[in-house]
């Protein structure tokens, strides 16, 4: 790579007339034919692992079925790769069911077992159906950014 004969800075072949650093005229020695092509100095970054990435395509029908039947377990989220959201859905389902069960078991129905259990499960099922309809309509991509087909 050529250097300016006055300041010693590295210059390109486009800087034949004036040095961009010190401003001297004709910074390259006529004796030396060494020039630097600016296109050779810039290198592009390419990762070898990006070339062979295999992406699993997820189906919208499978996602909706998982959400309808196993949405309270967050299986649709795990299917699409949203692990944190799946864990949150499991926690929300447990808290909703246990909260309603305790509310109806201790406060309202005076410790009868079957009725609070049915109310807790039906509320969980209703929440699951509403949420799966919302998710089925709204969600377009999986966790890796690939569109759901």
């Amino acid at each position: 790579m050529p250097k300016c004969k006055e300041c010693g800075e590295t210059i390109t072949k486009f800087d034949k007339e004036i040095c961009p650093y010190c401003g001297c005229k004709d910074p390259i020695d006529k004796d030396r034919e060494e020039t630097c092509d600016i296109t050779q100095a810039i290198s592009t970054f390419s990762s070898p692992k990006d070339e062979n990435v295999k992406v699993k395509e997820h189906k919208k029908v499978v996602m909706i079925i998982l959400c309808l039947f196993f949405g309270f377990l967050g299986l649709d989220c795990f299917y699409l790769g949203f692990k944190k959201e799946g864990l949150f859905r499991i926690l929300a389902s447990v808290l909703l069911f246990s909260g309603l069960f305790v509310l109806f078991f201790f406060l309202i129905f005076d410790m009868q077992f079957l009725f609070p259990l049915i109310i807790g499960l039906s509320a969980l099922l209703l929440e699951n159906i509403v949420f799966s309809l919302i998710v089925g309509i709204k969600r377009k991509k999986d966790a890796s950014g690939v569109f759901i087909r």
Side-chain angles (χ1 to χ4, degrees):
M1 294 177 37
K3 297 193 183 289
C4 175
K5 62 183 175 183
E6 296 291 323
C7 64
E9 292 289 331
T10 303
I11 56 176
T12 66
K13 71 177 184 177
F14 301 108
D15 300 327
K16 290 180 183 178
E17 297 172 4
I18 297 176
C19 175
Y21 299 104
C22 65
C24 76
K25 294 184 178 182
D26 295 324
I28 299 175
D29 288 332
K30 301 288 184 206
D31 301 337
R32 300 180 68 186
E33 291 295 323
E34 178 185 340
T35 60
C36 176
D37 187 6
I38 193 167
T39 58
Q40 292 176 353
I42 299 172
S43 64
T44 59
F45 176 75
S46 64
S47 177
K49 63 181 177 181
D50 289 342
E51 295 172 5
N52 296 326
V53 173
K54 292 187 179 183
V55 178
K56 181 181 178 186
E57 291 185 9
H58 297 101
K59 306 232 183 259
K60 193 165 196 127
V61 174
V62 175
M63 180 199 66
I64 291 174
I65 289 172
L66 284 173
C67 195
L68 276 174
F69 293 109
F70 302 106
F72 62 95
L73 295 175
L75 289 185
D76 58 319
C77 298
F78 290 116
Y79 172 69
L80 296 177
F82 298 107
K83 294 176 184 171
K84 289 182 182 177
E85 186 179 337
L87 291 173
F88 176 74
R89 294 260 302 274
I90 292 172
L91 179 66
S93 297
V94 167
L95 289 176
L96 176 72
F97 175 72
S98 61
L100 287 174
F101 182 75
V102 167
L103 175 73
F104 284 105
F105 186 72
F106 287 114
L107 299 178
I108 297 176
F109 291 106
D110 197 27
M111 298 193 187
Q112 293 177 353
F113 183 71
L114 188 59
F115 195 69
L117 184 66
I118 292 172
I119 288 178
L121 288 175
S122 61
L124 193 62
L125 180 66
L126 182 66
E127 176 261 337
N128 186 29
I129 290 172
V130 169
F131 189 78
S132 60
L133 290 174
I134 292 170
V135 167
I137 293 170
K138 188 177 179 183
R139 186 163 280 167
K140 304 288 185 209
K141 294 182 180 181
D142 63 358
S144 60
V146 178
F147 282 98
I148 302 169
R149 298 190 185 265

